């Protein structure tokens, strides 16, 4: 077993058994509250009560085990996600399915154990608890004689006392002895005071009476002697012994509830069902025979369905033909006779139904209990597959959020399961449907959650729903403004001309095309030959526009009157510019709603043509995207919206380009929305503390040349800022041999060896290539020699054996 698997198993098993005990204890309290009236006041020992609760807890395992399985899985996966352990496993290339594999195996073993619990332990528990409950019910309550009332809690006696001292001494006692067969109040004892105690075996009650008198009357009158004899005896002290029955708890010798459905295992249930089915089949055969001969049919063959089917008898019988030669009275008599026979037949069928219920209802209960032996196991496994992906999605361990979610799903499951069982007991649905319905409802939920968890879904991310509500709010506001504009004659839809060239500009255009806005035209650069073959290449924006049937303009000059006329013919009221040329005022002032530009930096920082590259080269920790209204200068217009983006240590120009492109697409839609809704609030471009903003000039070939006298971190930033295009480069020199090398990927390492000159190479010839810099060293991971393809350092070293003879300059 791998360490990771062992770690996951231990992380799951511990919470499972802990939660199982806690949940079982909590449910046991509800069980105790349910039967508390049967336990109190009977002088039961602690052992009896604990035994009763113990067997009751065992009967609750079918409820607590699925809940414990789900709660433990949520806590385990949620804890791993909360402490970024799950993220680390995924980063190491381990899929969620592989992470869950050992826990799934443990859950499957728990499900198998749950079957044996349901089939063996639970029936035994019901048998024990039914027997124990009867023994407790047979035990009478403790004797507590109230003051001022007649107490008949002792068989054969009625007592009354006026008061009781703190030490238990009773005053003014009256004891009526009704044990005589003659009945009536023929034997009465009065005492000034007295006390009461029960023998240790709880079989006798002893009254110690003081200063009293006993009266006894004989009611044996006959026709010769009608006199009554009264005897009276005074006493200073008298001990009255009253025998007690069932005042002490006594355990039955054997379990007497093994015949109950809940007290049987699967094997016994199936045997009982076969027996009931055999008896029921015999009853149906007998009822069929009785029906044929008691329903008015003269011959049994008159109800032979087989013959009717074989003869293909069909059609209708004209009843009037039967009475053609009969009088009206004979017809009425025949109808009355037919109605009587029909009523009699209906009563016979009702009787048959009641006879069948004696076997149908027990059979139905047996089927339900048989299926429930398996549904407990399925529930444990199903709840795991609901809880595990939930934990991976919410990324919260402990007993907070997991408990709330677990209880919610458990309540849904329990309600559905209870409804299904009741419907099955009533015969509204089959026993199989009644027991499996809760599983079938939760199964698609488990599949859905598992799919979402493998996709790292933000299903329980609050920001997701906040964004959705914001989106709906924008929709409502937009609908309001469009309705208002429609009635005011300003039109209901924005018409956009989009201007852009490179790949960065394609994503915002695609977002606009899939929105509610109308893109009526695209302006991009003219096609021009490039490359070694001087082939004519189209811009990325033009390719997208042609594929989506958008009209395209490709002016050589933006001041060309013919171009301006074509641009005006689009009748656009908004221009959107992304990575395009500087526009003359005749162009950007044309639309009624103005022209805004998307820039890949947080203006006023990095105005210019290459903001993404320069942000990384300069070692910035943050950058972002900005939309602003265009004016006469380059990138100086008033800001509409900005959104920041962190630059990670592993980001290069390519990855940052993709992040900003996605972020910029959303910002363009947000900006168009705001312009349409007239909710734009423009802000001047201001640098804090009046510092001069950094610029992002166009990249040249000289920009990409590596200066090895600089620090390793500076060189690494240059490589990252120019990868994957246009790529930082250097020259390998060995005597008269000179090779141009592009470096795509590297990282800086510490080095205290300053004896070697900058550009010196250190390598093991197999896996690493290190270059000495002005401070530190640069370890190269990916590079390209002129005329070759890009390769990792291992492949490069495999084909370049004498690399140590070279140095970078």
């Amino acid at each position: 077993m791998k360490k990771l698997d062992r770690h996951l198993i231990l992380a799951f098993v511990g919470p499972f058994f802990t939660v199982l005990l806690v949940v079982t204890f909590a449910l046991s309290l509800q069980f105790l509250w349910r039967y508390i009236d049967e336990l109190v006041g009977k002088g039961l020992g602690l052992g009896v009560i604990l035994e009763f609760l113990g067997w009751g807890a065992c009967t609750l395992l079918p409820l607590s085990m699925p809940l414990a399985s789900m709660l433990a899985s949520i806590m385990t996966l949620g804890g791993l996600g909360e402490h970024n352990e799950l993220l680390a496993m995924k980063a190491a290339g381990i899929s969620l399915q592989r992470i869950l594999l050992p826990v799934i195996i443990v859950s499957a073993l728990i499900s198998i154990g749950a079957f044996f619990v349901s089939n063996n332990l639970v029936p035994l528990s019901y048998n024990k608890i039914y027997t124990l409950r009867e023994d407790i019910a047979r035990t009478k309550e403790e004797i507590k004689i109230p003051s001022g009332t007649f107490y008949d809690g002792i068989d054969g006696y009625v007592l009354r006392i006026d008061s009781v001292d703190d030490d238990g001494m009773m005053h003014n006692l009256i004891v009526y002895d009704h044990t005589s067969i003659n009945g009536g109040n023929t034997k009465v004892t009065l005492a000034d005071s007295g006390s009461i105690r029960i023998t240790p075996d709880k079989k006798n009650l002893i009254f110690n009476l003081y200063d009293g008198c006993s009266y006894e009357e004989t009611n044996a009158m006959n026709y010769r002697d009608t006199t009554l004899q009264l005897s009276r005896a005074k006493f200073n002290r008298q001990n009255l012994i009253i025998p007690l029955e069932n005042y002490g708890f006594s355990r039955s010798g054997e379990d007497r509830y093994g015949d109950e459905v809940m007290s049987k295992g699967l094997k016994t249930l199936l045997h009982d069902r076969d027996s009931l089915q055999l008896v029921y089949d015999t009853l149906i055969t007998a009822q069929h025979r009785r029906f044929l001969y008691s329903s008015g049919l003269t011959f049994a063959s008159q109800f032979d369905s087989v013959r009717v089917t074989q003869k293909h008898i069909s059609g209708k019988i004209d009843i009037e033909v039967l009475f053609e030669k009969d009088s009206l009275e004979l017809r009425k008599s025949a109808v009355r006779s037919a109605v009587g026979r029909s009523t009699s037949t209906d009563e016979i069928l009702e009787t048959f139904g009641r006879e069948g219920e004696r076997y149908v209802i027990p059979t139905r209960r047996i089927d339900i209990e048989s299926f429930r032996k398996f549904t407990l196991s399925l529930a444990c496994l199903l709840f795991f597959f609901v809880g595990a992906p939930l934990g991976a999605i919410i990324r919260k361990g402990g007993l907070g959020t997991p408990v709330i979610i677990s209880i919610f799903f458990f309540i849904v499951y329990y309600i559905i399961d209870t409804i299904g069982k009741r419907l099955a007991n009533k015969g509204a649905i089959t026993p199989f449907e009644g027991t499996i319905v809760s599983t079938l409802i939760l199964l698609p939920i488990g599949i859905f959650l598992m799919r979402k968890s493998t996709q790292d879904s933000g299903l329980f991310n609050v920001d997701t729903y906040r964004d959705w509500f914001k989106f709906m709010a924008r929709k409502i506001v937009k609908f309001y403004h469009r309705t208002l504009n429609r009635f005011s004659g300003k039109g209901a839809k924005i018409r956009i001309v989009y201007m852009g060239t490179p790949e960065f500009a394609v994503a915002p255009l695609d977002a606009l095309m899939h929105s509610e806005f109308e893109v009526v035209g695209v302006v991009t650069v003219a096609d021009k030959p490039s490359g070694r073959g001087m082939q004519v290449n189209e811009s990325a924006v033009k390719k997208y526009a042609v594929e989506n049937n958008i009209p395209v303009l490709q002016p050589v000059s933006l001041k060309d009157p013919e171009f301006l006329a074509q641009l005006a013919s689009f009748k656009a009221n908004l221009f959107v510019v992304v990575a395009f040329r500087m526009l003359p005022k005749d162009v950007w002032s044309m639309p009624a709603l103005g022209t805004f530009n998307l820039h890949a930096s947080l203006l006023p920082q990095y105005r210019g043509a290459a903001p993404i590259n320069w942000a990384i080269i300069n070692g910035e920790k943050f950058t972002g995207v900005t939309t602003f209204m265009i004016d006469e200068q380059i990138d100086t217009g008033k800001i509409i919206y900005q959104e920041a983006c962190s630059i990670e240590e592993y980001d290069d120009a390519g990855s940052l380009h993709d992040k900003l492109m996605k972020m910029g697409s959303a910002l363009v839609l947000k900006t168009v929305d705001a312009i349409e809704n007239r909710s734009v609030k423009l802000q001047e471009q201001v640098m804090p503390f009046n510092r001069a903003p950094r610029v992002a000039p166009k990249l040249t070939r000289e920009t990409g040349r590596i200066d090895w006298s600089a620090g390793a971190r500076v060189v690494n930033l240059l490589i990252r800022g120019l990868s994957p295009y246009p790529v930082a480069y250097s020259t390998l020199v060995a005597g008269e041999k000179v090779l141009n090398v592009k470096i795509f990927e590297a990282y800086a390492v510490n080095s205290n060896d300053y004896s070697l000159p900058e550009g010196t190479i250190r390598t093991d010839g197999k896996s690493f290539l290190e270059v000495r810099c002005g401070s530190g060293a640069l370890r190269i991971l990916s590079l390209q020699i002129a005329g070759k393809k890009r390769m990792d350092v291992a492949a490069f070293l495999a084909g370049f054996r004498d690399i140590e003879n070279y140095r970078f300059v």
Side-chain angles (χ1 to χ4, degrees), residues 723-742:
S723 178
Y725 181 82
V727 189
Y729 69 94
S730 186
T731 304
L732 275 174
V733 177
E736 296 182 356
K737 295 181 180 180
V738 178
L739 292 174
N740 290 325
V741 178
K742 293 181 179 180

PDB file of all heavy atoms in Angstrom, residues 723-742:
ATOM      1  N   SER A 723       8.834  35.138 -24.024  1.00  0.00           N
ATOM      2  CA  SER A 723       8.465  33.776 -24.405  1.00  0.00           C
ATOM      3  C   SER A 723       6.943  33.655 -24.442  1.00  0.00           C
ATOM      4  O   SER A 723       6.255  34.161 -23.539  1.00  0.00           O
ATOM      5  CB  SER A 723       9.029  32.779 -23.381  1.00  0.00           C
ATOM      6  OG  SER A 723       8.655  31.458 -23.682  1.00  0.00           O
ATOM      7  N   PRO A 724       6.374  33.071 -25.467  1.00  0.00           N
ATOM      8  CA  PRO A 724       7.000  32.302 -26.561  1.00  0.00           C
ATOM      9  C   PRO A 724       7.333  33.143 -27.803  1.00  0.00           C
ATOM     10  O   PRO A 724       7.805  32.585 -28.803  1.00  0.00           O
ATOM     11  CB  PRO A 724       5.927  31.274 -26.891  1.00  0.00           C
ATOM     12  CG  PRO A 724       4.642  32.004 -26.635  1.00  0.00           C
ATOM     13  CD  PRO A 724       4.908  32.897 -25.455  1.00  0.00           C
ATOM     14  N   TYR A 725       7.040  34.457 -27.766  1.00  0.00           N
ATOM     15  CA  TYR A 725       7.377  35.305 -28.916  1.00  0.00           C
ATOM     16  C   TYR A 725       7.644  36.710 -28.398  1.00  0.00           C
ATOM     17  O   TYR A 725       6.950  37.168 -27.500  1.00  0.00           O
ATOM     18  CB  TYR A 725       6.212  35.310 -29.917  1.00  0.00           C
ATOM     19  CG  TYR A 725       6.486  36.129 -31.149  1.00  0.00           C
ATOM     20  CD1 TYR A 725       7.215  35.601 -32.206  1.00  0.00           C
ATOM     21  CD2 TYR A 725       6.044  37.457 -31.236  1.00  0.00           C
ATOM     22  CE1 TYR A 725       7.481  36.362 -33.332  1.00  0.00           C
ATOM     23  CE2 TYR A 725       6.317  38.222 -32.345  1.00  0.00           C
ATOM     24  CZ  TYR A 725       7.034  37.669 -33.399  1.00  0.00           C
ATOM     25  OH  TYR A 725       7.313  38.434 -34.506  1.00  0.00           O
ATOM     26  N   PRO A 726       8.660  37.392 -28.902  1.00  0.00           N
ATOM     27  CA  PRO A 726       9.596  37.012 -29.990  1.00  0.00           C
ATOM     28  C   PRO A 726      10.780  36.171 -29.522  1.00  0.00           C
ATOM     29  O   PRO A 726      11.624  35.800 -30.330  1.00  0.00           O
ATOM     30  CB  PRO A 726      10.060  38.374 -30.511  1.00  0.00           C
ATOM     31  CG  PRO A 726       9.988  39.257 -29.301  1.00  0.00           C
ATOM     32  CD  PRO A 726       8.838  38.789 -28.490  1.00  0.00           C
ATOM     33  N   VAL A 727      10.927  35.901 -28.245  1.00  0.00           N
ATOM     34  CA  VAL A 727      11.919  35.011 -27.638  1.00  0.00           C
ATOM     35  C   VAL A 727      13.263  35.729 -27.441  1.00  0.00           C
ATOM     36  O   VAL A 727      13.830  36.322 -28.369  1.00  0.00           O
ATOM     37  CB  VAL A 727      12.138  33.720 -28.441  1.00  0.00           C
ATOM     38  CG1 VAL A 727      13.009  32.753 -27.630  1.00  0.00           C
ATOM     39  CG2 VAL A 727      10.816  33.061 -28.814  1.00  0.00           C
ATOM     40  N   ALA A 728      13.759  35.623 -26.211  1.00  0.00           N
ATOM     41  CA  ALA A 728      15.101  36.146 -25.907  1.00  0.00           C
ATOM     42  C   ALA A 728      16.151  35.234 -26.550  1.00  0.00           C
ATOM     43  O   ALA A 728      15.932  34.018 -26.671  1.00  0.00           O
ATOM     44  CB  ALA A 728      15.295  36.198 -24.393  1.00  0.00           C
ATOM     45  N   TYR A 729      17.261  35.815 -26.922  1.00  0.00           N
ATOM     46  CA  TYR A 729      18.265  35.013 -27.633  1.00  0.00           C
ATOM     47  C   TYR A 729      19.664  35.400 -27.164  1.00  0.00           C
ATOM     48  O   TYR A 729      19.887  36.434 -26.547  1.00  0.00           O
ATOM     49  CB  TYR A 729      18.143  35.207 -29.143  1.00  0.00           C
ATOM     50  CG  TYR A 729      18.545  36.577 -29.627  1.00  0.00           C
ATOM     51  CD1 TYR A 729      19.851  36.841 -30.083  1.00  0.00           C
ATOM     52  CD2 TYR A 729      17.653  37.639 -29.610  1.00  0.00           C
ATOM     53  CE1 TYR A 729      20.230  38.097 -30.504  1.00  0.00           C
ATOM     54  CE2 TYR A 729      18.001  38.897 -30.032  1.00  0.00           C
ATOM     55  CZ  TYR A 729      19.289  39.126 -30.483  1.00  0.00           C
ATOM     56  OH  TYR A 729      19.674  40.376 -30.908  1.00  0.00           O
ATOM     57  N   SER A 730      20.611  34.527 -27.485  1.00  0.00           N
ATOM     58  CA  SER A 730      22.020  34.772 -27.199  1.00  0.00           C
ATOM     59  C   SER A 730      22.841  34.027 -28.236  1.00  0.00           C
ATOM     60  O   SER A 730      22.295  33.381 -29.149  1.00  0.00           O
ATOM     61  CB  SER A 730      22.362  34.311 -25.775  1.00  0.00           C
ATOM     62  OG  SER A 730      23.694  34.663 -25.455  1.00  0.00           O
ATOM     63  N   THR A 731      24.176  34.085 -28.053  1.00  0.00           N
ATOM     64  CA  THR A 731      25.079  33.458 -29.020  1.00  0.00           C
ATOM     65  C   THR A 731      26.022  32.523 -28.294  1.00  0.00           C
ATOM     66  O   THR A 731      26.622  32.886 -27.272  1.00  0.00           O
ATOM     67  CB  THR A 731      25.887  34.521 -29.774  1.00  0.00           C
ATOM     68  OG1 THR A 731      24.985  35.450 -30.393  1.00  0.00           O
ATOM     69  CG2 THR A 731      26.748  33.876 -30.840  1.00  0.00           C
ATOM     70  N   LEU A 732      26.140  31.289 -28.801  1.00  0.00           N
ATOM     71  CA  LEU A 732      27.104  30.323 -28.299  1.00  0.00           C
ATOM     72  C   LEU A 732      28.376  30.433 -29.129  1.00  0.00           C
ATOM     73  O   LEU A 732      28.327  30.386 -30.369  1.00  0.00           O
ATOM     74  CB  LEU A 732      26.545  28.898 -28.396  1.00  0.00           C
ATOM     75  CG  LEU A 732      25.665  28.396 -27.247  1.00  0.00           C
ATOM     76  CD1 LEU A 732      25.103  27.036 -27.596  1.00  0.00           C
ATOM     77  CD2 LEU A 732      26.456  28.329 -25.948  1.00  0.00           C
ATOM     78  N   VAL A 733      29.492  30.577 -28.435  1.00  0.00           N
ATOM     79  CA  VAL A 733      30.766  30.763 -29.135  1.00  0.00           C
ATOM     80  C   VAL A 733      31.774  29.750 -28.613  1.00  0.00           C
ATOM     81  O   VAL A 733      31.894  29.542 -27.393  1.00  0.00           O
ATOM     82  CB  VAL A 733      31.305  32.194 -28.920  1.00  0.00           C
ATOM     83  CG1 VAL A 733      32.665  32.352 -29.581  1.00  0.00           C
ATOM     84  CG2 VAL A 733      30.313  33.213 -29.468  1.00  0.00           C
ATOM     85  N   ALA A 734      32.487  29.111 -29.553  1.00  0.00           N
ATOM     86  CA  ALA A 734      33.607  28.217 -29.214  1.00  0.00           C
ATOM     87  C   ALA A 734      34.649  28.413 -30.303  1.00  0.00           C
ATOM     88  O   ALA A 734      34.581  27.809 -31.381  1.00  0.00           O
ATOM     89  CB  ALA A 734      33.163  26.761 -29.142  1.00  0.00           C
ATOM     90  N   GLY A 735      35.629  29.267 -30.027  1.00  0.00           N
ATOM     91  CA  GLY A 735      36.623  29.602 -31.048  1.00  0.00           C
ATOM     92  C   GLY A 735      35.958  30.348 -32.176  1.00  0.00           C
ATOM     93  O   GLY A 735      35.374  31.421 -31.996  1.00  0.00           O
ATOM     94  N   GLU A 736      36.004  29.760 -33.381  1.00  0.00           N
ATOM     95  CA  GLU A 736      35.399  30.397 -34.546  1.00  0.00           C
ATOM     96  C   GLU A 736      33.954  29.922 -34.754  1.00  0.00           C
ATOM     97  O   GLU A 736      33.269  30.423 -35.649  1.00  0.00           O
ATOM     98  CB  GLU A 736      36.225  30.095 -35.800  1.00  0.00           C
ATOM     99  CG  GLU A 736      37.625  30.691 -35.735  1.00  0.00           C
ATOM    100  CD  GLU A 736      38.396  30.404 -37.008  1.00  0.00           C
ATOM    101  OE1 GLU A 736      37.840  29.676 -37.880  1.00  0.00           O
ATOM    102  OE2 GLU A 736      39.519  30.902 -37.135  1.00  0.00           O
ATOM    103  N   LYS A 737      33.520  28.955 -33.950  1.00  0.00           N
ATOM    104  CA  LYS A 737      32.140  28.446 -34.085  1.00  0.00           C
ATOM    105  C   LYS A 737      31.182  29.403 -33.378  1.00  0.00           C
ATOM    106  O   LYS A 737      31.392  29.758 -32.219  1.00  0.00           O
ATOM    107  CB  LYS A 737      32.001  27.059 -33.482  1.00  0.00           C
ATOM    108  CG  LYS A 737      32.821  26.000 -34.201  1.00  0.00           C
ATOM    109  CD  LYS A 737      32.607  24.636 -33.549  1.00  0.00           C
ATOM    110  CE  LYS A 737      33.419  23.560 -34.260  1.00  0.00           C
ATOM    111  NZ  LYS A 737      33.220  22.224 -33.621  1.00  0.00           N
ATOM    112  N   VAL A 738      30.150  29.779 -34.087  1.00  0.00           N
ATOM    113  CA  VAL A 738      29.153  30.695 -33.547  1.00  0.00           C
ATOM    114  C   VAL A 738      27.756  30.121 -33.838  1.00  0.00           C
ATOM    115  O   VAL A 738      27.444  29.784 -34.989  1.00  0.00           O
ATOM    116  CB  VAL A 738      29.277  32.099 -34.159  1.00  0.00           C
ATOM    117  CG1 VAL A 738      28.180  32.998 -33.609  1.00  0.00           C
ATOM    118  CG2 VAL A 738      30.647  32.685 -33.884  1.00  0.00           C
ATOM    119  N   LEU A 739      26.932  30.009 -32.782  1.00  0.00           N
ATOM    120  CA  LEU A 739      25.568  29.508 -32.930  1.00  0.00           C
ATOM    121  C   LEU A 739      24.598  30.470 -32.237  1.00  0.00           C
ATOM    122  O   LEU A 739      24.839  30.890 -31.105  1.00  0.00           O
ATOM    123  CB  LEU A 739      25.411  28.110 -32.306  1.00  0.00           C
ATOM    124  CG  LEU A 739      26.129  26.955 -32.986  1.00  0.00           C
ATOM    125  CD1 LEU A 739      25.972  25.685 -32.137  1.00  0.00           C
ATOM    126  CD2 LEU A 739      25.544  26.709 -34.373  1.00  0.00           C
ATOM    127  N   ASN A 740      23.516  30.825 -32.960  1.00  0.00           N
ATOM    128  CA  ASN A 740      22.471  31.642 -32.353  1.00  0.00           C
ATOM    129  C   ASN A 740      21.476  30.722 -31.635  1.00  0.00           C
ATOM    130  O   ASN A 740      21.017  29.718 -32.202  1.00  0.00           O
ATOM    131  CB  ASN A 740      21.741  32.473 -33.409  1.00  0.00           C
ATOM    132  CG  ASN A 740      22.618  33.581 -33.961  1.00  0.00           C
ATOM    133  OD1 ASN A 740      23.435  34.155 -33.230  1.00  0.00           O
ATOM    134  ND2 ASN A 740      22.465  33.885 -35.250  1.00  0.00           N
ATOM    135  N   VAL A 741      21.142  31.081 -30.410  1.00  0.00           N
ATOM    136  CA  VAL A 741      20.272  30.234 -29.574  1.00  0.00           C
ATOM    137  C   VAL A 741      19.146  31.084 -29.002  1.00  0.00           C
ATOM    138  O   VAL A 741      19.390  32.161 -28.447  1.00  0.00           O
ATOM    139  CB  VAL A 741      21.065  29.572 -28.426  1.00  0.00           C
ATOM    140  CG1 VAL A 741      20.127  28.731 -27.547  1.00  0.00           C
ATOM    141  CG2 VAL A 741      22.192  28.730 -28.967  1.00  0.00           C
ATOM    142  N   LYS A 742      17.900  30.569 -29.144  1.00  0.00           N
ATOM    143  CA  LYS A 742      16.737  31.182 -28.494  1.00  0.00           C
ATOM    144  C   LYS A 742      16.429  30.412 -27.214  1.00  0.00           C
ATOM    145  O   LYS A 742      16.420  29.179 -27.210  1.00  0.00           O
ATOM    146  CB  LYS A 742      15.511  31.150 -29.415  1.00  0.00           C
ATOM    147  CG  LYS A 742      15.642  32.034 -30.639  1.00  0.00           C
ATOM    148  CD  LYS A 742      14.379  31.957 -31.494  1.00  0.00           C
ATOM    149  CE  LYS A 742      14.479  32.863 -32.708  1.00  0.00           C
ATOM    150  NZ  LYS A 742      13.246  32.794 -33.551  1.00  0.00           N
TER     151      LYS A 742
END
